[in-house]
Amino acid sequence: MVTAAVLSGLAAAGSVAVQARSTGRRAGAHRSAHLLLTVAAGVALVSLVVGLAVTLAAADGWGERQGMRTAWATVIAAGSALGGLAFCAGLLRLPGAATSRAVTARLVLDGVVVATALWFVGWVLCAEPTRLLGGATPDGCPPILLASVSAALTTGLALIVVLRSAAPRGRLALLGAGGSVVTWAALTVAGALCAGGPAVVVAAGAVAAAGLAACAVAVRRVGPAGQLDVDPIGRDGGYAFVPMFGMAASAIYHVAQGGGFALAAIVAGSLEGFALVARQYLTLNDVRGYADRLAERERHFRELAHTDPLTGLANRRGLLRALHRCAEAGVPCVLLVLDLDGFKNVNDMQGHDVGDAVLEEVGRRLRGNLRPGDLAARLGGDEFAVLVHGRPAEADPVAERLLGLLALPYEQPDRPVFLSVSIGVAGQPDAPDVELLQRNADLALRYAKQRGKNRIERYDVAYDRLLRRRTTLEHELRGAIERDELRLAFQPVASLPSVRPVGAEALLRWRHPELGNVRPDEFIPLAEECGMIATLGAWVLHQACWQLSRWLADGHDVWVSVNVSPRELHAPEYVVQVAEALRAHHVPPQRLVLEVTEHAVATDLDELIRRLTALRRTGVRIALDDFGAGYSSLGQLRRLPIDILKIDHGLVAEHEPVRPVDRDGPAFAPMVDIVMRLGHQLGLEVIAEGVTTPTELAAVVAAGCRFGQGALFGWGVPGEHLEAMLDAATSPGARPAPLPALPAQRAGEPAGSGSSQVEPRAVGTRPGDPSHSVNQNVGSVDSSREMRQA
């Protein structure tokens, strides 16, 4: 027995030393927890050594030394209580175990619930009439009560912490089991000193040494991270139900055996009830707290769902919510829809970071310049909206202020950004209709964009008619070719001054059975917007080539020009389409002229030059249409691979003809004269467009222009009508048309010739070759040089 006691003491001392050494290497949050666990182990070691020493000292006169044994049992019970409290505190101090006071309170209450149930079940087993240990049951030993409470509390708290920690929890379970074993062994030592024998004390000492060894192993193997993840409210029902079931079952058994309840049992039952009530109170507080936080988060997320995260303004949902509230309350309101003009260039050229900064500044300007009660929203991208409460007249000053405010420069680190804004305004209709109000405002914004941007456009009922017509036209245009509703009209190009037709421009016409004649300036832009221009252009190209082939087969010396849109021109397959159309209809390439507007020149000059060069390789001629309308520069004109300049009507009819300064000569059109000189210098032929009066005809002829087109020579007519004109012009009895008199000549002024004038000559003749036909030359040319010989 002495040997066993000594070995138990040495093993316990070695375990405590190992644990103390491990604690010395800890740092941070782990150190305080392991220090408490080491203190608990040291107290348990002292209690164990004292118990073993007292037992060995009193072994010879065990029965006669009852008072001494009881006194030392009290000391050991007190040491067990202190060690148990230190162990529980160490468990709660482990990182992640008790993260707050509320979590600590829950764990302690749960431990008290389990501990009380354990103590009560133990009391039932040891009390009359059960007395599970029979005559060895300690009786009349007050130290046992204190030690039993310590053992139950340590076991209950360790069990709660282990079960509520996240996996893996093997080392924590070993630590909890070791600490519980030590406290139960101390209880056994105290009880054995009171009413047991030396062998029980020595056996309990060996068990305590094993528990301390387990604690040392667990503490040594817990790494420096050692972070626990304890859920303080997990399985509340199970942890409350099992202890209560144990207490109820043991109480029923005790009563069934004829036992009664002492004061300690009643106190234990009351403590269990109070602990459960307190735990339930904390749970209710948790539920209330979670409910409040959930409601707050719901409000937060609902606000986020109605708020734009970049600008802090309302988003589309927020705007809809405000609109519906206005409609429900019957409050008049006006909706302003704003779109930043040219914002895409900011993102493309300066990056999305600068674009976001600009949008944030727009949000600040809107938010800081609205009346109380008005709402600003970002609908997406660079589109914003402002909801103004009141009548349309009240919204007009707001729109005007925002138009100027958003046009101010947006200062950025590199350089300021300059933008304008287009605003569409719509008022609430008589019957509140949120969707209709949005539609009207969007429609007004659309027309503000179409009419030049940087402006305010107020909704008008006429927009609905225009939109319905546009929608109808787009729908009907998609089947116009299949329904055979499209036709080509041909406007003659006449040689001057004979006004004999030598060519024609193919013009697309659309006659709908219900809509009637639809203007080209209405459906051509629509075809470009909806992506049908390529289909229409291919149809026009083939129809024009087919008609031209017929005229050529009939012996007419004529060419045909076809207008080409920028989208068609930039399509990679367009050159192939032109070549296939010429081949399919057996048309000489030089008889086809492709007209390109100055607008196409303004888009991408380098790409345009490549496309036009590829087209000229097929043999067709290229005409620059509407020259002088405002896009082309002289530098661009030198680079363009073109053959013909078509002077815009605005240059032909800009002024009355003028006479040469300081010399005699007929009056002429000055701008036409300049273009003629420019064309001759660049090796181009020139055609004057929009000639509508004899005065304009005389002016362009005096300026030296040898080809004209306009209402004076005929509007666009069907192919058979133009064929009749060609037949009449080439008939044997045809005579040259007389040249209209210029205003100066009608006043009796002498006719002369200046350096810029071309002497009128007989129809179809050229110097040195009076028999040469204009039609023959123009129809067979394949270069601008040969065309100038006409």
Side-chain angles (χ1 to χ4, degrees):
M1 185 168 53
V2 173
T3 302
V6 172
L7 290 177
S8 297
L10 291 176
S15 298
V16 173
V18 170
Q19 184 172 346
R21 185 177 179 182
S22 176
T23 301
R25 295 196 301 266
R26 302 292 174 179
H30 290 77
R31 184 174 181 81
S32 61
H34 285 269
L35 184 60
L36 287 172
L37 294 175
T38 303
V39 169
V43 173
L45 174 62
V46 172
S47 300
L48 175 61
V49 170
V50 170
L52 292 175
V54 171
T55 300
L56 293 177
D60 295 337
W62 187 262
E64 292 80 9
R65 299 182 178 182
Q66 180 66 44
M68 182 192 71
R69 289 187 286 113
T70 302
W72 282 110
T74 303
V75 173
I76 293 173
S80 173
L82 291 176
L85 290 176
F87 182 80
C88 292
L91 282 180
L92 294 176
R93 292 285 293 178
L94 286 174
T99 55
S100 66
R101 292 182 179 179
V103 173
T104 303
R106 294 187 191 97
L107 293 177
V108 170
L109 285 174
D110 290 339
V112 169
V113 170
V114 176
T116 304
L118 288 174
W119 189 93
F120 186 83
V121 172
W123 177 85
V124 168
L125 294 178
C126 295
E128 290 287 352
T130 306
R131 296 186 71 84
L132 183 64
L133 300 179
T137 303
D139 191 14
C141 185
I144 295 178
L145 181 62
L146 181 61
S148 63
V149 170
S150 173
L153 182 60
T154 302
T155 303
L157 185 60
L159 183 64
I160 288 297
V161 171
V162 170
L163 291 179
R164 289 193 175 176
S165 64
R169 49 193 175 191
R171 297 174 184 175
L172 183 61
L174 181 62
L175 177 64
S180 300
V181 166
V182 170
T183 55
W184 284 102
L187 170 62
T188 303
V189 169
L193 284 175
C194 284
V200 177
V201 175
V202 173
V207 173
L212 289 173
C215 290
V217 171
V219 169
R220 182 179 177 82
R221 297 192 62 182
V222 172
Q227 181 79 19
L228 301 179
D229 186 11
V230 174
D231 181 7
I233 60 174
R235 303 178 187 174
D236 274 350
Y239 293 149
F241 176 78
V242 173
M244 283 302 298
F245 179 80
M247 290 187 68
S250 60
I252 293 172
Y253 172 76
H254 185 68
V255 172
Q257 295 296 322
F261 292 99
L263 178 61
I266 295 175
V267 171
S270 301
L271 181 62
E272 181 79 359
F274 279 115
L276 288 174
V277 170
R279 189 63 177 85
Q280 185 65 21
Y281 175 76
L282 289 179
T283 302
L284 288 177
N285 277 342
D286 289 341
V287 172
R288 292 192 189 99
Y290 285 138
D292 292 341
R293 287 193 293 272
L294 183 61
E296 181 64 27
R297 289 177 182 176
E298 183 181 0
R299 287 191 294 270
H300 174 68
F301 287 121
R302 186 183 296 112
E303 193 61 29
L304 285 180
H306 294 85
T307 304
D308 175 60
L310 179 63
T311 62
L313 304 177
N315 59 11
R316 189 178 294 274
R317 290 192 187 94
L319 178 64
L320 285 174
R321 181 176 62 178
L323 287 171
H324 283 293
R325 287 175 179 174
C326 288
E328 292 170 0
V331 177
C333 60
V334 181
L335 182 61
L336 282 64
V337 180
L338 306 87
D339 189 86
L340 300 178
D341 303 326
F343 179 77
K344 185 177 183 301
N345 294 331
V346 177
N347 280 336
D348 293 343
M349 302 303 297
Q350 302 187 45
H352 288 272
D353 291 340
V354 175
D356 289 346
V358 170
L359 293 177
E360 291 178 8
E361 177 61 22
V362 171
R364 284 190 289 269
R365 294 183 186 183
L366 289 177
R367 192 165 40 245
N369 289 273
L370 294 181
R371 306 176 310 171
D374 294 344
L375 176 71
R378 181 185 176 214
L379 305 182
D382 60 341
E383 188 174 359
F384 294 82
V386 174
L387 180 63
V388 178
H389 294 84
R391 300 294 177 182
E394 302 176 41
D396 290 343
V398 176
E400 295 287 350
R401 183 170 66 253
L402 294 180
L403 185 68
L405 183 70
L406 298 181
L408 297 177
Y410 297 84
E411 298 296 336
Q412 297 300 319
D414 294 338
R415 59 181 181 273
V417 174
F418 295 91
L419 295 172
S420 61
V421 64
S422 300
I423 303 178
V425 182
Q428 185 73 273
D430 296 335
D433 189 333
V434 172
E435 287 73 18
L436 182 60
L437 179 61
Q438 286 184 286
R439 174 185 173 277
N440 293 346
D442 289 337
L443 194 57
L445 175 64
R446 176 179 176 178
Y447 279 94
K449 286 283 191 181
Q450 290 182 355
R451 295 180 178 181
K453 304 179 181 180
N454 191 27
R455 58 181 291 142
I456 301 170
E457 197 69 37
R458 293 164 183 82
Y459 170 76
D460 192 289
V461 180
Y463 296 163
D464 283 312
R465 294 193 298 269
L466 295 175
L467 179 61
R468 282 194 295 270
R469 180 171 176 82
R470 183 192 185 282
T471 304
T472 302
L473 289 177
E474 180 178 349
H475 179 269
E476 295 298 319
L477 184 58
R478 295 187 182 277
I481 295 177
E482 290 75 8
R483 296 190 301 268
D484 196 27
E485 296 173 359
L486 299 180
R487 295 288 184 271
L488 284 187
F490 296 90
Q491 186 174 28
V493 177
S495 65
L496 302 180
S498 67
V499 299
R500 177 176 296 175
V502 293
E505 180 179 355
L507 304 174
L508 183 59
R509 298 291 184 260
W510 179 21
R511 179 173 179 80
H512 190 273
E514 297 178 1
L515 301 175
N517 291 322
V518 184
R519 299 191 313 274
D521 60 354
E522 187 176 12
F523 72 83
I524 294 296
L526 179 61
E528 292 181 347
E529 291 181 19
C530 67
M532 287 193 59
I533 192 64
T535 302
L536 294 183
W539 185 88
V540 170
L541 179 64
H542 279 274
Q543 291 294 315
C545 289
W546 175 82
Q547 183 63 71
L548 179 58
S549 67
R550 288 192 57 187
W551 288 336
L552 294 176
D554 291 341
H556 296 294
D557 210 358
V558 69
W559 81 85
V560 170
S561 62
V562 174
N563 292 283
V564 183
S565 72
R567 183 169 299 183
E568 288 180 277
L569 193 60
H570 287 81
E573 65 276 6
Y574 187 70
V575 176
V576 178
Q577 291 179 359
V578 172
E580 290 179 350
L582 294 171
R583 184 170 54 254
H585 299 285
H586 306 288
V587 173
Q590 67 272 16
R591 299 284 183 161
L592 180 64
V593 178
L594 299 180
E595 296 191 10
V596 182
T597 63
E598 282 196 306
H599 177 71
V601 177
T603 55
D604 189 344
L605 183 61
D606 293 334
E607 178 66 15
L608 178 68
I609 291 174
R610 287 192 292 270
R611 298 294 182 184
L612 294 181
T613 301
L615 285 171
R616 291 187 77 192
R617 291 196 188 104
T618 65
V620 300
R621 291 177 294 165
I622 307 298
L624 182 61
D625 197 9
D626 300 331
F627 181 76
Y631 287 102
S632 296
S633 68
L634 295 181
Q636 292 173 340
L637 196 59
R638 290 182 60 89
R639 296 179 57 195
L640 288 174
I642 60 176
D643 304 285
I644 305 170
L645 279 182
K646 299 190 73 173
I647 306 175
D648 185 74
H649 172 67
L651 298 184
V652 174
E654 183 178 7
H655 303 288
E656 288 291 329
V658 298
R659 290 183 295 106
V661 179
D662 298 331
R663 64 176 180 269
D664 296 332
F668 61 95
M671 296 305 297
V672 177
D673 180 73
I674 294 173
V675 175
M676 284 297 305
R677 290 171 176 266
L678 177 64
H680 290 162
Q681 289 293 326
L682 298 177
L684 305 176
E685 187 55 76
V686 180
I687 300 176
E689 287 189 293
V691 180
T692 57
T693 65
T695 301
E696 292 175 354
L697 172 61
V700 297
V701 169
C705 186
R706 297 186 294 130
F707 296 96
Q709 181 180 351
L712 188 63
F713 313 118
W715 297 101
V717 295
E720 55 271 20
H721 292 185
L722 184 62
E723 185 173 2
M725 297 172 62
L726 294 173
D727 290 336
T730 56
S731 63
R735 291 290 184 269
L739 180 66
L742 293 173
Q745 293 172 326
R746 287 196 299 268
E749 296 185 5
S753 63
S755 61
S756 63
Q757 309 304 318
V758 177
E759 187 71 25
R761 55 185 178 268
V763 177
T765 63
R766 60 174 177 153
D769 190 4
S771 64
H772 199 87
S773 168
V774 173
N775 289 3
Q776 181 179 355
N777 264 323
V778 173
S780 61
V781 293
D782 58 2
S783 69
S784 58
R785 180 183 59 81
E786 295 178 357
M787 187 173 181
R788 290 198 308 274
Q789 295 176 358

